[in-house]
Amino acid sequence: MTVTPLILTIVAVFSYLFIHNFSKVINPQASAKNIIWASISFTIVVVLIFYINILLRT
């Protein structure tokens, strides 16, 4: 078993929580639905970037 799934899971959780909290600080009146979609979208992009980076390094 490789470490890659663990790294990607940690990155996904951190990026989701970061954008979720950041969105609440920037715009406290934003709807919860929009904050969740922004968090999910950002998480997908960050995980893809990290995965491509890991693939290129091996």
Side-chain angles (χ1 to χ4, degrees):
M1 183 173 160
T2 62
V3 184
T4 305
L6 180 63
I7 292 171
L8 291 177
T9 304
I10 292 170
V11 167
V13 169
F14 178 75
S15 64
Y16 179 84
L17 292 175
F18 175 75
I19 289 297
H20 190 79
N21 292 329
F22 188 73
S23 297
K24 285 185 174 183
V25 168
I26 294 298
N27 188 5
Q29 297 172 342
S31 69
K33 180 180 157 186
N34 289 342
I35 291 175
I36 290 172
W37 277 112
S39 302
I40 290 172
S41 301
F42 183 77
T43 301
I44 290 170
V45 169
V46 169
V47 167
L48 286 175
I49 289 171
F50 266 77
Y51 186 63
I52 290 170
N53 191 10
I54 289 172
L55 284 177
L56 291 176
R57 288 179 183 243
T58 58

